[in-house]
Amino acid sequence: MTATEFGIVYAVHIITSHFGSVASKVCECLLRRGPLSSREISRLAASDINHTKVKDILYLLIHHNCVQAFSIDPPDGSESKATVQYIALFRNIIHGARYNKFSKVVNEELGSQCSGLLDGLLSNGRLTLEQLIDRDRDSKKPMGSEVIRDSLQKLVAARFIERVPSPEPVLGNKDEGPAQKKRGAKASKIFKEPESLEERILEAATPVDAIRFPFIFEQDSSSTVADDDSNIPEGKRKQPEVDYSSGPSNEVIWRPNFEELIRRLRHKACVEIVKERRDEGCANVMKAMLEVGRSQEKKAKTDKSVRTPIFFSVPMSMGSIYEELIKTDAGREMTQARVEACLEQLSATSSYLPAFVIESDDSYIVDFKSIISVAQKDEMESVVMRRYGKEAFRMFRYLSQEDRFVETDKIADAALTEKKDTPQILLKMWRDGYLHMQKLAVTGVYMPFLLWKVNKLIVSRQMLDEMYHASLNLSLRLTHEKDSEKELLLLPMEKLEGALKERRNKYRAKSVLLTSASFKLDDAILLFHDF
């Protein structure tokens, strides 16, 4: 899904808070105008930013994974050189507001030492092992170089960090058209089908896994994993050995792997959704399935209707699921018959709940789209309930289930509302962009029939824009609270008494409330934009 208006404003605010107003002008220029060369940016961004300063800012933003450079081969027969252009990575910029979530994910799985190392990469963008060791040496509680090396290996093995991509991938002329669909593919193989320019650039910049996660392949040099076609995306198999991800001393440069961090958050959300809509046993089975399929989870072609990627797990057998399940205390309490019953429950479809798992030839595939769609639907209905009331909620739910144009009287009957009040409620939701209206003229009738439908794509985009707006307001309010109590926050807590201590406690309560609200709002943004 492309960035909305308030999405761009929110992204610019994040850049401003991290790197200052000058960097935000350059970033906003790229977000609003698309890929540009450095000279085009210096001409369009602001009159007070010269070309040298623009290049410095671009290098800074690239270092912090907010911008990617690229070039396109000139047409055949042309003597002109390829011009380096720059594209803002909207997703990565928004990730700047959820570093605490990423740190928590790593802390829960690998411990505080690994999460501390990730924090360094999140705050500094890109670092070599030597720089990580120097950073640790200057800290108050140094862990030591051996612990740093061990933690780095764990992070790479879990794919939480990766080698930096190519600094300037070149897109060939023949790749400018949309990618051709792969025909005759097996059901178990889902190919990437990049459509947008950003996806094509990132695809070209990303090295093969053997280079991207070198420690994993070095641990088993005799393994054929690195040469297996199933692990190397098409278009990368002939990619030569590259040294673009090494520093001056030939050291590997590392950065956070946002793709894997978001995958873990998506898995966590899926387990919570299954637990809420089914039961704890089904949630345990889902968690085991996600663990089994994690290393082979594939990103399928982008959904053209919403411009977001669709994710599928690979087919897995009952035996592999049960084998993973019994590794946990909760799983050991479940018999195989109970697991089979849970899989049957997860594969079942009802009028109000889709199947969360696809069963095919004694194999099971997690359907992420179905699971996430349930949470999105709940979020939409919750917003409608709070904003328009119970009657509007019933109408919205009915139209969502019907997924077609329905006339006003039928909506009133289905939602059990007064027919005279129904048009006003529907019109109110239509004006705010939550419904699509169509007028049907009938011969001999003065007033046309009004037909109504929920356009989920428009509603999702509308809600996402409102969420970005709300997140921006919460962030600005938190900044305002900090600035207004700046002098008070400089005083030691133990020296505060009376009115000053009470003021400090009030500030802390406000800060906790605003931060908590921002976290919950970001969970909803993840549902509609990243999952």
PDB file of all heavy atoms in Angstrom, residues 48-70:
ATOM      1  N   ASP A  48      17.900  26.832   0.433  1.00  0.00           N
ATOM      2  CA  ASP A  48      19.069  27.000   1.301  1.00  0.00           C
ATOM      3  C   ASP A  48      19.904  25.731   1.441  1.00  0.00           C
ATOM      4  O   ASP A  48      20.871  25.697   2.197  1.00  0.00           O
ATOM      5  CB  ASP A  48      18.640  27.490   2.676  1.00  0.00           C
ATOM      6  CG  ASP A  48      17.681  26.513   3.350  1.00  0.00           C
ATOM      7  OD1 ASP A  48      16.962  25.806   2.618  1.00  0.00           O
ATOM      8  OD2 ASP A  48      17.662  26.460   4.591  1.00  0.00           O
ATOM      9  N   ILE A  49      19.555  24.656   0.704  1.00  0.00           N
ATOM     10  CA  ILE A  49      20.321  23.420   0.782  1.00  0.00           C
ATOM     11  C   ILE A  49      21.106  23.258  -0.517  1.00  0.00           C
ATOM     12  O   ILE A  49      20.527  23.011  -1.572  1.00  0.00           O
ATOM     13  CB  ILE A  49      19.395  22.194   0.987  1.00  0.00           C
ATOM     14  CG1 ILE A  49      18.447  22.403   2.178  1.00  0.00           C
ATOM     15  CG2 ILE A  49      20.216  20.939   1.203  1.00  0.00           C
ATOM     16  CD1 ILE A  49      17.481  21.271   2.398  1.00  0.00           C
ATOM     17  N   ASN A  50      22.423  23.388  -0.443  1.00  0.00           N
ATOM     18  CA  ASN A  50      23.236  23.252  -1.645  1.00  0.00           C
ATOM     19  C   ASN A  50      23.484  21.781  -1.971  1.00  0.00           C
ATOM     20  O   ASN A  50      23.161  20.882  -1.192  1.00  0.00           O
ATOM     21  CB  ASN A  50      24.560  24.016  -1.513  1.00  0.00           C
ATOM     22  CG  ASN A  50      25.383  23.523  -0.329  1.00  0.00           C
ATOM     23  OD1 ASN A  50      25.470  22.335  -0.061  1.00  0.00           O
ATOM     24  ND2 ASN A  50      26.004  24.465   0.393  1.00  0.00           N
ATOM     25  N   HIS A  51      24.087  21.536  -3.122  1.00  0.00           N
ATOM     26  CA  HIS A  51      24.265  20.170  -3.613  1.00  0.00           C
ATOM     27  C   HIS A  51      25.162  19.342  -2.693  1.00  0.00           C
ATOM     28  O   HIS A  51      24.902  18.152  -2.452  1.00  0.00           O
ATOM     29  CB  HIS A  51      24.855  20.206  -5.031  1.00  0.00           C
ATOM     30  CG  HIS A  51      24.977  18.863  -5.661  1.00  0.00           C
ATOM     31  ND1 HIS A  51      26.161  18.362  -6.154  1.00  0.00           N
ATOM     32  CD2 HIS A  51      24.051  17.887  -5.852  1.00  0.00           C
ATOM     33  CE1 HIS A  51      25.967  17.151  -6.640  1.00  0.00           C
ATOM     34  NE2 HIS A  51      24.694  16.838  -6.469  1.00  0.00           N
ATOM     35  N   THR A  52      26.211  19.945  -2.171  1.00  0.00           N
ATOM     36  CA  THR A  52      27.119  19.221  -1.265  1.00  0.00           C
ATOM     37  C   THR A  52      26.398  18.775  -0.003  1.00  0.00           C
ATOM     38  O   THR A  52      26.571  17.630   0.458  1.00  0.00           O
ATOM     39  CB  THR A  52      28.321  20.117  -0.885  1.00  0.00           C
ATOM     40  OG1 THR A  52      28.977  20.554  -2.070  1.00  0.00           O
ATOM     41  CG2 THR A  52      29.292  19.360   0.002  1.00  0.00           C
ATOM     42  N   LYS A  53      25.577  19.666   0.555  1.00  0.00           N
ATOM     43  CA  LYS A  53      24.823  19.325   1.767  1.00  0.00           C
ATOM     44  C   LYS A  53      23.794  18.229   1.479  1.00  0.00           C
ATOM     45  O   LYS A  53      23.584  17.333   2.300  1.00  0.00           O
ATOM     46  CB  LYS A  53      24.122  20.570   2.317  1.00  0.00           C
ATOM     47  CG  LYS A  53      23.480  20.363   3.690  1.00  0.00           C
ATOM     48  CD  LYS A  53      22.804  21.626   4.196  1.00  0.00           C
ATOM     49  CE  LYS A  53      23.812  22.692   4.606  1.00  0.00           C
ATOM     50  NZ  LYS A  53      23.145  23.848   5.245  1.00  0.00           N
ATOM     51  N   VAL A  54      23.168  18.283   0.304  1.00  0.00           N
ATOM     52  CA  VAL A  54      22.200  17.248  -0.079  1.00  0.00           C
ATOM     53  C   VAL A  54      22.876  15.882  -0.127  1.00  0.00           C
ATOM     54  O   VAL A  54      22.341  14.892   0.379  1.00  0.00           O
ATOM     55  CB  VAL A  54      21.556  17.580  -1.448  1.00  0.00           C
ATOM     56  CG1 VAL A  54      20.828  16.359  -2.017  1.00  0.00           C
ATOM     57  CG2 VAL A  54      20.573  18.722  -1.300  1.00  0.00           C
ATOM     58  N   LYS A  55      24.079  15.830  -0.718  1.00  0.00           N
ATOM     59  CA  LYS A  55      24.795  14.553  -0.806  1.00  0.00           C
ATOM     60  C   LYS A  55      25.169  14.028   0.572  1.00  0.00           C
ATOM     61  O   LYS A  55      25.064  12.826   0.847  1.00  0.00           O
ATOM     62  CB  LYS A  55      26.049  14.724  -1.670  1.00  0.00           C
ATOM     63  CG  LYS A  55      25.743  14.959  -3.146  1.00  0.00           C
ATOM     64  CD  LYS A  55      27.000  15.021  -3.990  1.00  0.00           C
ATOM     65  CE  LYS A  55      27.547  13.645  -4.241  1.00  0.00           C
ATOM     66  NZ  LYS A  55      28.661  13.665  -5.226  1.00  0.00           N
ATOM     67  N   ASP A  56      25.578  14.927   1.469  1.00  0.00           N
ATOM     68  CA  ASP A  56      25.907  14.518   2.840  1.00  0.00           C
ATOM     69  C   ASP A  56      24.678  13.942   3.548  1.00  0.00           C
ATOM     70  O   ASP A  56      24.765  12.927   4.256  1.00  0.00           O
ATOM     71  CB  ASP A  56      26.443  15.704   3.641  1.00  0.00           C
ATOM     72  CG  ASP A  56      27.834  16.135   3.176  1.00  0.00           C
ATOM     73  OD1 ASP A  56      28.506  15.309   2.518  1.00  0.00           O
ATOM     74  OD2 ASP A  56      28.225  17.287   3.456  1.00  0.00           O
ATOM     75  N   ILE A  57      23.528  14.594   3.351  1.00  0.00           N
ATOM     76  CA  ILE A  57      22.292  14.123   3.981  1.00  0.00           C
ATOM     77  C   ILE A  57      21.874  12.777   3.404  1.00  0.00           C
ATOM     78  O   ILE A  57      21.443  11.875   4.139  1.00  0.00           O
ATOM     79  CB  ILE A  57      21.163  15.172   3.800  1.00  0.00           C
ATOM     80  CG1 ILE A  57      21.469  16.416   4.638  1.00  0.00           C
ATOM     81  CG2 ILE A  57      19.813  14.599   4.194  1.00  0.00           C
ATOM     82  CD1 ILE A  57      20.589  17.602   4.326  1.00  0.00           C
ATOM     83  N   LEU A  58      22.016  12.618   2.098  1.00  0.00           N
ATOM     84  CA  LEU A  58      21.668  11.339   1.459  1.00  0.00           C
ATOM     85  C   LEU A  58      22.543  10.212   2.004  1.00  0.00           C
ATOM     86  O   LEU A  58      22.046   9.108   2.278  1.00  0.00           O
ATOM     87  CB  LEU A  58      21.822  11.445  -0.054  1.00  0.00           C
ATOM     88  CG  LEU A  58      20.742  12.256  -0.789  1.00  0.00           C
ATOM     89  CD1 LEU A  58      21.146  12.488  -2.239  1.00  0.00           C
ATOM     90  CD2 LEU A  58      19.383  11.563  -0.710  1.00  0.00           C
ATOM     91  N   TYR A  59      23.841  10.470   2.181  1.00  0.00           N
ATOM     92  CA  TYR A  59      24.730   9.453   2.749  1.00  0.00           C
ATOM     93  C   TYR A  59      24.312   9.100   4.178  1.00  0.00           C
ATOM     94  O   TYR A  59      24.365   7.929   4.587  1.00  0.00           O
ATOM     95  CB  TYR A  59      26.184   9.937   2.733  1.00  0.00           C
ATOM     96  CG  TYR A  59      26.756  10.105   1.348  1.00  0.00           C
ATOM     97  CD1 TYR A  59      27.722  11.068   1.077  1.00  0.00           C
ATOM     98  CD2 TYR A  59      26.332   9.293   0.292  1.00  0.00           C
ATOM     99  CE1 TYR A  59      28.245  11.232  -0.206  1.00  0.00           C
ATOM    100  CE2 TYR A  59      26.850   9.448  -0.985  1.00  0.00           C
ATOM    101  CZ  TYR A  59      27.794  10.421  -1.233  1.00  0.00           C
ATOM    102  OH  TYR A  59      28.311  10.578  -2.496  1.00  0.00           O
ATOM    103  N   LEU A  60      23.886  10.110   4.935  1.00  0.00           N
ATOM    104  CA  LEU A  60      23.410   9.875   6.300  1.00  0.00           C
ATOM    105  C   LEU A  60      22.161   8.996   6.301  1.00  0.00           C
ATOM    106  O   LEU A  60      22.063   8.023   7.068  1.00  0.00           O
ATOM    107  CB  LEU A  60      23.113  11.217   6.979  1.00  0.00           C
ATOM    108  CG  LEU A  60      22.397  11.154   8.344  1.00  0.00           C
ATOM    109  CD1 LEU A  60      23.330  10.592   9.407  1.00  0.00           C
ATOM    110  CD2 LEU A  60      21.889  12.523   8.754  1.00  0.00           C
ATOM    111  N   LEU A  61      21.209   9.325   5.440  1.00  0.00           N
ATOM    112  CA  LEU A  61      19.951   8.571   5.372  1.00  0.00           C
ATOM    113  C   LEU A  61      20.171   7.154   4.847  1.00  0.00           C
ATOM    114  O   LEU A  61      19.495   6.210   5.277  1.00  0.00           O
ATOM    115  CB  LEU A  61      18.933   9.317   4.511  1.00  0.00           C
ATOM    116  CG  LEU A  61      18.453  10.666   5.060  1.00  0.00           C
ATOM    117  CD1 LEU A  61      17.539  11.361   4.060  1.00  0.00           C
ATOM    118  CD2 LEU A  61      17.732  10.492   6.397  1.00  0.00           C
ATOM    119  N   ILE A  62      21.118   6.998   3.918  1.00  0.00           N
ATOM    120  CA  ILE A  62      21.463   5.654   3.431  1.00  0.00           C
ATOM    121  C   ILE A  62      22.082   4.840   4.558  1.00  0.00           C
ATOM    122  O   ILE A  62      21.760   3.656   4.743  1.00  0.00           O
ATOM    123  CB  ILE A  62      22.432   5.741   2.230  1.00  0.00           C
ATOM    124  CG1 ILE A  62      21.689   6.262   0.992  1.00  0.00           C
ATOM    125  CG2 ILE A  62      23.061   4.381   1.937  1.00  0.00           C
ATOM    126  CD1 ILE A  62      22.605   6.604  -0.162  1.00  0.00           C
ATOM    127  N   HIS A  63      22.966   5.491   5.330  1.00  0.00           N
ATOM    128  CA  HIS A  63      23.619   4.803   6.458  1.00  0.00           C
ATOM    129  C   HIS A  63      22.597   4.300   7.475  1.00  0.00           C
ATOM    130  O   HIS A  63      22.791   3.258   8.104  1.00  0.00           O
ATOM    131  CB  HIS A  63      24.610   5.758   7.134  1.00  0.00           C
ATOM    132  CG  HIS A  63      25.420   5.113   8.214  1.00  0.00           C
ATOM    133  ND1 HIS A  63      26.538   4.360   7.951  1.00  0.00           N
ATOM    134  CD2 HIS A  63      25.260   5.089   9.564  1.00  0.00           C
ATOM    135  CE1 HIS A  63      27.044   3.900   9.090  1.00  0.00           C
ATOM    136  NE2 HIS A  63      26.287   4.333  10.082  1.00  0.00           N
ATOM    137  N   HIS A  64      21.504   5.036   7.622  1.00  0.00           N
ATOM    138  CA  HIS A  64      20.456   4.636   8.573  1.00  0.00           C
ATOM    139  C   HIS A  64      19.301   3.909   7.884  1.00  0.00           C
ATOM    140  O   HIS A  64      18.202   3.799   8.447  1.00  0.00           O
ATOM    141  CB  HIS A  64      19.944   5.864   9.325  1.00  0.00           C
ATOM    142  CG  HIS A  64      20.897   6.347  10.378  1.00  0.00           C
ATOM    143  ND1 HIS A  64      20.859   5.901  11.681  1.00  0.00           N
ATOM    144  CD2 HIS A  64      21.940   7.209  10.304  1.00  0.00           C
ATOM    145  CE1 HIS A  64      21.825   6.477  12.370  1.00  0.00           C
ATOM    146  NE2 HIS A  64      22.496   7.276  11.567  1.00  0.00           N
ATOM    147  N   ASN A  65      19.550   3.412   6.680  1.00  0.00           N
ATOM    148  CA  ASN A  65      18.617   2.525   5.961  1.00  0.00           C
ATOM    149  C   ASN A  65      17.283   3.169   5.623  1.00  0.00           C
ATOM    150  O   ASN A  65      16.264   2.485   5.512  1.00  0.00           O
ATOM    151  CB  ASN A  65      18.385   1.242   6.782  1.00  0.00           C
ATOM    152  CG  ASN A  65      19.678   0.621   7.269  1.00  0.00           C
ATOM    153  OD1 ASN A  65      20.551   0.303   6.473  1.00  0.00           O
ATOM    154  ND2 ASN A  65      19.826   0.486   8.582  1.00  0.00           N
ATOM    155  N   CYS A  66      17.275   4.499   5.462  1.00  0.00           N
ATOM    156  CA  CYS A  66      16.046   5.223   5.122  1.00  0.00           C
ATOM    157  C   CYS A  66      15.971   5.563   3.636  1.00  0.00           C
ATOM    158  O   CYS A  66      14.896   5.920   3.139  1.00  0.00           O
ATOM    159  CB  CYS A  66      15.957   6.526   5.929  1.00  0.00           C
ATOM    160  SG  CYS A  66      15.893   6.264   7.708  1.00  0.00           S
ATOM    161  N   VAL A  67      17.086   5.477   2.930  1.00  0.00           N
ATOM    162  CA  VAL A  67      17.159   5.803   1.509  1.00  0.00           C
ATOM    163  C   VAL A  67      18.029   4.754   0.820  1.00  0.00           C
ATOM    164  O   VAL A  67      18.988   4.249   1.415  1.00  0.00           O
ATOM    165  CB  VAL A  67      17.747   7.224   1.293  1.00  0.00           C
ATOM    166  CG1 VAL A  67      18.131   7.451  -0.160  1.00  0.00           C
ATOM    167  CG2 VAL A  67      16.743   8.286   1.725  1.00  0.00           C
ATOM    168  N   GLN A  68      17.689   4.421  -0.429  1.00  0.00           N
ATOM    169  CA  GLN A  68      18.484   3.490  -1.218  1.00  0.00           C
ATOM    170  C   GLN A  68      18.848   4.149  -2.547  1.00  0.00           C
ATOM    171  O   GLN A  68      17.986   4.708  -3.230  1.00  0.00           O
ATOM    172  CB  GLN A  68      17.692   2.205  -1.490  1.00  0.00           C
ATOM    173  CG  GLN A  68      18.360   1.226  -2.434  1.00  0.00           C
ATOM    174  CD  GLN A  68      19.612   0.583  -1.836  1.00  0.00           C
ATOM    175  OE1 GLN A  68      19.603   0.079  -0.714  1.00  0.00           O
ATOM    176  NE2 GLN A  68      20.703   0.621  -2.588  1.00  0.00           N
ATOM    177  N   ALA A  69      20.122   4.085  -2.904  1.00  0.00           N
ATOM    178  CA  ALA A  69      20.579   4.598  -4.199  1.00  0.00           C
ATOM    179  C   ALA A  69      20.443   3.498  -5.252  1.00  0.00           C
ATOM    180  O   ALA A  69      20.529   2.303  -4.942  1.00  0.00           O
ATOM    181  CB  ALA A  69      22.024   5.059  -4.100  1.00  0.00           C
ATOM    182  N   PHE A  70      20.254   3.896  -6.495  1.00  0.00           N
ATOM    183  CA  PHE A  70      20.169   2.942  -7.598  1.00  0.00           C
ATOM    184  C   PHE A  70      20.382   3.692  -8.912  1.00  0.00           C
ATOM    185  O   PHE A  70      20.395   4.931  -8.944  1.00  0.00           O
ATOM    186  CB  PHE A  70      18.810   2.238  -7.614  1.00  0.00           C
ATOM    187  CG  PHE A  70      17.668   3.106  -8.074  1.00  0.00           C
ATOM    188  CD1 PHE A  70      17.195   3.041  -9.382  1.00  0.00           C
ATOM    189  CD2 PHE A  70      17.079   4.019  -7.205  1.00  0.00           C
ATOM    190  CE1 PHE A  70      16.157   3.856  -9.805  1.00  0.00           C
ATOM    191  CE2 PHE A  70      16.041   4.835  -7.621  1.00  0.00           C
ATOM    192  CZ  PHE A  70      15.576   4.755  -8.930  1.00  0.00           C
TER     193      PHE A  70
END
